Amino acid sequence: MDEGNNAAGSAQDISQMSFEQALAALETIVQQLERGDVPLDHSISLYERGEALRAACQQRLDAAQARIEKIVTGADGRVGGTRPLDSDG
């Protein structure tokens, strides 16, 4: 069971993980759960860890999206300003 925990990154604090590390750990957990060969108690622990990793990844994606701005060009091709990526119009 420890091997699964290490592969899922549980030894590392989620707040210290990069987005890529957290996503890889989440993918490992999903694979373990999909195999269905993990005891129930361990499955619950993995699910809880996976939910925490998912939330951390979503938070980082939301923060990145907030920083990304879409360049708005005029008909003449010149930059006319910026607006948030998710804005309409």
Side-chain angles (χ1 to χ4, degrees), residues 19-58:
F19 173 81
E20 292 78 9
Q21 290 171 322
L23 186 59
L26 180 57
E27 289 172 350
T28 299
I29 287 173
V30 169
Q31 290 169 0
Q32 288 176 328
L33 292 173
E34 285 179 344
R35 279 195 318 259
D37 60 356
V38 179
L40 179 60
D41 288 342
H42 188 60
S43 292
I44 293 169
S45 296
L46 284 173
Y47 185 85
E48 290 171 342
R49 174 77 174 168
E51 179 56 27
L53 287 162
R54 184 212 56 80
C57 287
Q58 186 62 55

Side-chain angles (χ1 to χ4, degrees), residues 35-89:
R35 279 195 318 259
D37 60 356
V38 179
L40 179 60
D41 288 342
H42 188 60
S43 292
I44 293 169
S45 296
L46 284 173
Y47 185 85
E48 290 171 342
R49 174 77 174 168
E51 179 56 27
L53 287 162
R54 184 212 56 80
C57 287
Q58 186 62 55
Q59 182 180 24
R60 290 183 185 137
L61 286 173
D62 291 344
Q65 182 175 357
R67 294 192 317 255
I68 296 171
E69 293 182 331
K70 181 178 179 183
I71 298 174
V72 181
T73 56
D76 61 359
R78 293 178 51 188
V79 175
T82 61
R83 67 173 182 225
L85 179 64
D86 61 352
S87 70
D88 294 328

